[in-house]
Amino acid sequence: MARGSLPSKVEVGIIGNGPSALILSFILHGHIPYYNPAHPHPDPILHAKLADSPCLLDVDVPNLTAHFSASRLSYSTQALPINVLLDTLIRPLSDTEPGAYNSCVKWRYEPKKVVSHVVLGNTVEAGGQWADNPVAASWDIGTLSYAEMLSLPGYTIEDHFRVASKEIPTDFYRPSRREVAKYLALYPEAVGISNAIWPAKIVEDVTRVPGGFQIGSHNLYCKRLILASGVFSHLIPARPQLQPLLRLPACPFESNVPLLVVGSGFSAADIIISNSLGNSPKRKIIHIFKWAPDERPSPLRACHPGAYPEYAGVYRRMKLAAIRALGNKDILSPLRNPKVNPFFDPPGSEDIYEGLPNTYIKGVSIRDKVGIVTLEDSTGQILERKISNIEYVIGRRGSLQFLDCGLRAEVLGGDTAQHDTTASISGHSLRAKVEEDLEVAPDVFAI
């Protein structure tokens, strides 16, 4: 990693040190991506559009991606068009036919295009959210993305496994979060960009000044500012009534007092899955979650049992709990059904999970270092449960707290007063702006 002192002036300041920031640093170090017609993309329309304009730093993204929605190939409709374009060029059809096509991108080192920059991240190693785990979940759970989809240019995850003398990942291999975090931590050194990577730097007080920006926390001036801190960096905080539960002393997983998990997404599932790993005694989980499959289904519903057996298992538990809450008490537990995936097979598994769909926490008290929660379930019945700890994981947000109010208002829109206390952002906050132009304010770019 970088040594010495931070420079006082650079062309570009990048806030965040996740994969997108690392790729940008690779480019700013003079590695320029070009379309390689010798390895044509399987989409003939995209190939024809790029054949005469190979440099990928100055392309018309709307024009190049205009036909994607009608293409016979499968292009993501959720990600930003520029991200979809880069993904499909670097890894053509990697989600359906991994390894069938060579990368369509050729990287050329052009020293004259090097741009001075710094990458500032608050994690102790490069990797952004991959290097940080704010919930009590195992680092050994497989990622949602396959290994080939996580590789960065210049040093792929396959290269990393080879250097580490590990078996090269097979197609559709899901590396663990631990493996990905290690890969990203070593990436800067492997590709020669570590001189610009500054981990463990808390960024604050970023203001617009004549000709650029001042990062007050580090007395650093830059001409252009890149927002690469993401929209999932912070857990949505629990409401004030629940704060006493967050201050309960940490309790081991073998405790005989249940753990309360609140949430219906992947973070909640990760905690529940972690409780099922290993051979040690399992702590009972009380799981409060929102159940509205027709209006707002849990993202776990999309997890196929063959590809994501652990997440499908959690969703199955939630569904069973919801059915029982509607009055069908005699339904067969899928945990006892031999036809389903065996992820939660150990005897007694059905006794360590209590699902409470659409349940509200009405009251909280602490007795002898144990939390007592008063609950109202979906039928209006009042319940009381003892808990050892709570994991409140109803979602994540990003934050632009490091920008001063004026600059935050420029980025988000609206007036300064509106953003005086509100710095939280979601995936929708900048979506419309970024789809139109990555420059979300003069000389401020979001990636």
Side-chain angles (χ1 to χ4, degrees):
M1 290 302 174
R3 295 294 187 268
S5 302
L6 269 168
S8 60
K9 182 179 180 179
V10 291
E11 288 288 322
V12 177
I14 303 173
I15 312 302
N17 62 2
S20 60
L22 297 178
I23 293 175
L24 179 56
S25 179
F26 185 73
I27 293 172
L28 294 178
H29 271 84
H31 302 277
I32 310 303
Y34 288 84
Y35 180 67
N36 185 3
H39 294 152
H41 193 276
D43 182 340
I45 298 176
L46 182 60
H47 170 70
K49 290 178 178 179
L50 285 168
D52 297 327
S53 303
C55 183
L56 297 175
L57 288 188
D58 186 22
V59 295
D60 184 350
V61 174
N63 175 57
L64 291 174
T65 60
H67 70 285
F68 279 12
S69 60
S71 174
R72 62 179 178 81
L73 302 179
S74 176
Y75 291 113
S76 171
T77 58
Q78 303 299 317
L80 291 171
I82 188 171
N83 293 339
V84 177
L85 177 64
L86 289 176
D87 281 346
T88 192
L89 291 176
I90 293 173
R91 297 172 287 269
L93 307 186
S94 62
D95 56 341
T96 55
E97 299 179 52
Y101 297 91
N102 292 318
S103 174
C104 303
V105 177
K106 184 176 183 179
W107 297 88
R108 299 179 188 171
Y109 179 58
E110 301 180 10
K112 292 183 179 180
K113 294 185 178 179
V114 171
V115 177
S116 65
H117 67 283
V118 293
V119 177
L120 304 175
N122 62 3
T123 54
V124 295
E125 292 184 299
Q129 291 157 36
W130 289 102
D132 184 29
N133 194 8
V135 300
S138 170
W139 285 79
D140 296 316
I141 298 172
T143 62
L144 293 173
S145 299
Y146 300 126
E148 56 268 18
M149 301 171 70
L150 296 168
S151 289
L152 303 185
Y155 182 66
T156 67
I157 200 164
E158 289 83 1
D159 295 333
H160 171 66
F161 272 72
R162 194 175 294 111
V163 168
S165 299
K166 289 186 174 183
E167 185 177 346
I168 304 302
T170 59
D171 291 347
F172 303 115
Y173 173 69
R174 294 168 53 204
S176 69
R177 184 187 185 94
R178 188 189 308 278
E179 289 173 318
V180 177
K182 187 65 174 177
Y183 162 63
L184 295 175
L186 296 175
Y187 177 81
E189 191 70 34
V191 297
I193 65 172
S194 60
N195 64 309
I197 310 299
W198 294 83
K201 298 295 182 184
I202 306 298
V203 175
E204 296 176 334
D205 191 27
V206 181
T207 59
R208 186 183 291 279
V209 296
F213 305 89
Q214 188 71 25
I215 301 177
S217 55
H218 301 291
N219 195 27
L220 172 66
Y221 169 86
C222 60
K223 291 184 179 180
R224 292 176 178 82
L225 185 69
I226 312 297
L227 307 178
S229 54
V231 294
F232 300 109
S233 58
H234 297 75
L235 292 173
I236 296 175
R239 65 183 193 271
Q241 183 190 26
L242 304 183
Q243 293 300 316
L245 299 177
L246 299 174
R247 295 191 287 269
L248 286 168
C251 194
F253 267 103
E254 59 268 20
S255 168
N256 58 6
V257 183
L259 169 69
L260 175 61
V261 178
V262 181
S264 56
F266 287 106
S267 292
D270 284 343
I271 296 166
I272 296 168
I273 292 165
S274 299
N275 189 55
S276 301
L277 297 176
N279 299 316
S280 60
K282 307 300 187 285
R283 178 164 44 160
K284 182 176 181 178
I285 298 285
I286 297 174
H287 185 199
I288 293 177
F289 58 92
K290 183 176 179 61
W291 185 260
D294 296 329
E295 295 82 28
R296 192 177 180 181
S298 165
L300 301 174
R301 186 170 75 172
C303 294
H304 190 279
Y308 304 99
E310 66 277 62
Y311 291 112
V314 173
Y315 183 76
R316 188 173 294 107
R317 288 181 169 190
M318 294 165 60
K319 184 174 181 179
L320 173 64
I323 293 173
R324 284 178 168 166
L326 292 174
N328 191 346
K329 307 295 184 182
D330 299 323
I331 187 170
L332 174 65
S333 167
L335 302 170
R336 294 172 174 159
N337 186 340
K339 294 184 179 180
V340 302
N341 78 72
F343 189 81
F344 292 111
D345 268 355
S349 290
E350 65 276 9
D351 298 323
I352 64 169
Y353 176 86
E354 180 182 9
L356 299 173
N358 302 325
T359 296
Y360 180 72
I361 303 176
K362 290 178 66 68
V364 167
S365 63
I366 308 295
R367 301 175 197 164
D368 300 323
K369 297 182 180 181
V370 172
I372 309 296
V373 290
T374 302
L375 311 171
E376 182 178 347
D377 71 11
S378 57
T379 67
Q381 182 180 359
I382 302 300
L383 312 171
E384 185 175 275
R385 295 289 186 271
K386 292 182 179 181
I387 65 166
S388 57
N389 300 101
I390 182 174
E391 288 289 341
Y392 191 83
V393 283
I394 66 168
R396 299 193 187 198
R397 294 288 185 268
S399 175
L400 296 180
Q401 188 67 47
F402 54 85
L403 303 180
D404 79 344
C405 294
L407 187 51
R408 207 152 61 222
E410 285 189 59
V411 171
L412 296 175
D415 55 43
T416 302
Q418 178 184 350
H419 301 293
D420 188 25
T421 57
T422 303
S424 178
I425 58 172
S426 71
H428 301 291
S429 300
L430 293 172
R431 179 82 188 211
K433 271 192 169 187
V434 172
E435 284 186 339
E436 183 177 333
D437 194 336
L438 294 180
E439 189 172 10
V440 294
D443 293 322
V444 181
F445 300 80
I447 61 173

PDB file of all heavy atoms in Angstrom, residues 45-58:
ATOM      1  N   ILE A  45     -24.443  -6.537 -33.439  1.00  0.00           N
ATOM      2  CA  ILE A  45     -24.774  -5.104 -33.503  1.00  0.00           C
ATOM      3  C   ILE A  45     -23.770  -4.312 -32.679  1.00  0.00           C
ATOM      4  O   ILE A  45     -23.254  -3.270 -33.138  1.00  0.00           O
ATOM      5  CB  ILE A  45     -26.209  -4.864 -33.003  1.00  0.00           C
ATOM      6  CG1 ILE A  45     -27.220  -5.599 -33.891  1.00  0.00           C
ATOM      7  CG2 ILE A  45     -26.512  -3.363 -32.967  1.00  0.00           C
ATOM      8  CD1 ILE A  45     -28.653  -5.480 -33.397  1.00  0.00           C
ATOM      9  N   LEU A  46     -23.477  -4.777 -31.485  1.00  0.00           N
ATOM     10  CA  LEU A  46     -22.497  -4.094 -30.639  1.00  0.00           C
ATOM     11  C   LEU A  46     -21.119  -4.128 -31.290  1.00  0.00           C
ATOM     12  O   LEU A  46     -20.395  -3.126 -31.279  1.00  0.00           O
ATOM     13  CB  LEU A  46     -22.458  -4.760 -29.263  1.00  0.00           C
ATOM     14  CG  LEU A  46     -21.506  -4.137 -28.230  1.00  0.00           C
ATOM     15  CD1 LEU A  46     -21.872  -2.690 -27.970  1.00  0.00           C
ATOM     16  CD2 LEU A  46     -21.538  -4.934 -26.922  1.00  0.00           C
ATOM     17  N   HIS A  47     -20.760  -5.254 -31.875  1.00  0.00           N
ATOM     18  CA  HIS A  47     -19.469  -5.365 -32.557  1.00  0.00           C
ATOM     19  C   HIS A  47     -19.359  -4.343 -33.689  1.00  0.00           C
ATOM     20  O   HIS A  47     -18.327  -3.666 -33.824  1.00  0.00           O
ATOM     21  CB  HIS A  47     -19.294  -6.780 -33.111  1.00  0.00           C
ATOM     22  CG  HIS A  47     -18.110  -6.932 -34.018  1.00  0.00           C
ATOM     23  ND1 HIS A  47     -16.816  -6.885 -33.562  1.00  0.00           N
ATOM     24  CD2 HIS A  47     -18.041  -7.098 -35.378  1.00  0.00           C
ATOM     25  CE1 HIS A  47     -15.979  -7.022 -34.586  1.00  0.00           C
ATOM     26  NE2 HIS A  47     -16.704  -7.162 -35.696  1.00  0.00           N
ATOM     27  N   ALA A  48     -20.414  -4.212 -34.471  1.00  0.00           N
ATOM     28  CA  ALA A  48     -20.380  -3.276 -35.594  1.00  0.00           C
ATOM     29  C   ALA A  48     -20.241  -1.830 -35.113  1.00  0.00           C
ATOM     30  O   ALA A  48     -19.541  -1.020 -35.731  1.00  0.00           O
ATOM     31  CB  ALA A  48     -21.645  -3.435 -36.435  1.00  0.00           C
ATOM     32  N   LYS A  49     -20.884  -1.493 -34.011  1.00  0.00           N
ATOM     33  CA  LYS A  49     -20.817  -0.128 -33.495  1.00  0.00           C
ATOM     34  C   LYS A  49     -19.417   0.212 -32.967  1.00  0.00           C
ATOM     35  O   LYS A  49     -18.993   1.371 -33.025  1.00  0.00           O
ATOM     36  CB  LYS A  49     -21.840   0.057 -32.372  1.00  0.00           C
ATOM     37  CG  LYS A  49     -23.293   0.057 -32.834  1.00  0.00           C
ATOM     38  CD  LYS A  49     -24.244   0.196 -31.639  1.00  0.00           C
ATOM     39  CE  LYS A  49     -25.699   0.239 -32.072  1.00  0.00           C
ATOM     40  NZ  LYS A  49     -26.635   0.351 -30.923  1.00  0.00           N
ATOM     41  N   LEU A  50     -18.716  -0.782 -32.445  1.00  0.00           N
ATOM     42  CA  LEU A  50     -17.422  -0.524 -31.820  1.00  0.00           C
ATOM     43  C   LEU A  50     -16.238  -0.718 -32.750  1.00  0.00           C
ATOM     44  O   LEU A  50     -15.124  -0.249 -32.451  1.00  0.00           O
ATOM     45  CB  LEU A  50     -17.241  -1.436 -30.601  1.00  0.00           C
ATOM     46  CG  LEU A  50     -18.031  -1.057 -29.353  1.00  0.00           C
ATOM     47  CD1 LEU A  50     -17.985  -2.191 -28.340  1.00  0.00           C
ATOM     48  CD2 LEU A  50     -17.477   0.224 -28.739  1.00  0.00           C
ATOM     49  N   ALA A  51     -16.435  -1.389 -33.848  1.00  0.00           N
ATOM     50  CA  ALA A  51     -15.315  -1.743 -34.720  1.00  0.00           C
ATOM     51  C   ALA A  51     -14.544  -0.516 -35.200  1.00  0.00           C
ATOM     52  O   ALA A  51     -13.315  -0.567 -35.338  1.00  0.00           O
ATOM     53  CB  ALA A  51     -15.824  -2.551 -35.910  1.00  0.00           C
ATOM     54  N   ASP A  52     -15.233   0.588 -35.443  1.00  0.00           N
ATOM     55  CA  ASP A  52     -14.567   1.786 -35.962  1.00  0.00           C
ATOM     56  C   ASP A  52     -14.196   2.788 -34.877  1.00  0.00           C
ATOM     57  O   ASP A  52     -13.575   3.812 -35.173  1.00  0.00           O
ATOM     58  CB  ASP A  52     -15.469   2.477 -37.005  1.00  0.00           C
ATOM     59  CG  ASP A  52     -15.731   1.599 -38.205  1.00  0.00           C
ATOM     60  OD1 ASP A  52     -14.823   0.817 -38.567  1.00  0.00           O
ATOM     61  OD2 ASP A  52     -16.836   1.672 -38.770  1.00  0.00           O
ATOM     62  N   SER A  53     -14.591   2.553 -33.650  1.00  0.00           N
ATOM     63  CA  SER A  53     -14.278   3.466 -32.536  1.00  0.00           C
ATOM     64  C   SER A  53     -13.802   2.631 -31.348  1.00  0.00           C
ATOM     65  O   SER A  53     -14.519   2.456 -30.361  1.00  0.00           O
ATOM     66  CB  SER A  53     -15.506   4.294 -32.161  1.00  0.00           C
ATOM     67  OG  SER A  53     -15.987   5.030 -33.275  1.00  0.00           O
ATOM     68  N   PRO A  54     -12.582   2.103 -31.464  1.00  0.00           N
ATOM     69  CA  PRO A  54     -12.156   1.115 -30.472  1.00  0.00           C
ATOM     70  C   PRO A  54     -11.851   1.652 -29.074  1.00  0.00           C
ATOM     71  O   PRO A  54     -11.956   0.899 -28.106  1.00  0.00           O
ATOM     72  CB  PRO A  54     -10.891   0.528 -31.100  1.00  0.00           C
ATOM     73  CG  PRO A  54     -10.381   1.602 -31.994  1.00  0.00           C
ATOM     74  CD  PRO A  54     -11.591   2.294 -32.530  1.00  0.00           C
ATOM     75  N   CYS A  55     -11.462   2.930 -28.936  1.00  0.00           N
ATOM     76  CA  CYS A  55     -11.129   3.421 -27.600  1.00  0.00           C
ATOM     77  C   CYS A  55     -12.396   3.526 -26.758  1.00  0.00           C
ATOM     78  O   CYS A  55     -13.357   4.199 -27.147  1.00  0.00           O
ATOM     79  CB  CYS A  55     -10.441   4.778 -27.661  1.00  0.00           C
ATOM     80  SG  CYS A  55      -9.948   5.383 -26.021  1.00  0.00           S
ATOM     81  N   LEU A  56     -12.386   2.882 -25.612  1.00  0.00           N
ATOM     82  CA  LEU A  56     -13.589   2.802 -24.799  1.00  0.00           C
ATOM     83  C   LEU A  56     -13.719   3.932 -23.783  1.00  0.00           C
ATOM     84  O   LEU A  56     -14.681   3.964 -23.017  1.00  0.00           O
ATOM     85  CB  LEU A  56     -13.633   1.452 -24.061  1.00  0.00           C
ATOM     86  CG  LEU A  56     -13.703   0.220 -24.979  1.00  0.00           C
ATOM     87  CD1 LEU A  56     -13.619  -1.056 -24.162  1.00  0.00           C
ATOM     88  CD2 LEU A  56     -14.982   0.246 -25.817  1.00  0.00           C
ATOM     89  N   LEU A  57     -12.773   4.853 -23.765  1.00  0.00           N
ATOM     90  CA  LEU A  57     -12.874   5.968 -22.827  1.00  0.00           C
ATOM     91  C   LEU A  57     -13.768   7.084 -23.345  1.00  0.00           C
ATOM     92  O   LEU A  57     -14.193   7.942 -22.585  1.00  0.00           O
ATOM     93  CB  LEU A  57     -11.480   6.543 -22.523  1.00  0.00           C
ATOM     94  CG  LEU A  57     -10.566   5.679 -21.659  1.00  0.00           C
ATOM     95  CD1 LEU A  57      -9.321   6.463 -21.291  1.00  0.00           C
ATOM     96  CD2 LEU A  57     -11.278   5.202 -20.400  1.00  0.00           C
ATOM     97  N   ASP A  58     -14.035   7.070 -24.630  1.00  0.00           N
ATOM     98  CA  ASP A  58     -14.850   8.143 -25.210  1.00  0.00           C
ATOM     99  C   ASP A  58     -15.875   7.531 -26.151  1.00  0.00           C
ATOM    100  O   ASP A  58     -15.773   7.618 -27.376  1.00  0.00           O
ATOM    101  CB  ASP A  58     -13.953   9.138 -25.960  1.00  0.00           C
ATOM    102  CG  ASP A  58     -14.721  10.359 -26.451  1.00  0.00           C
ATOM    103  OD1 ASP A  58     -15.791  10.650 -25.875  1.00  0.00           O
ATOM    104  OD2 ASP A  58     -14.276  11.016 -27.412  1.00  0.00           O
TER     105      ASP A  58
END
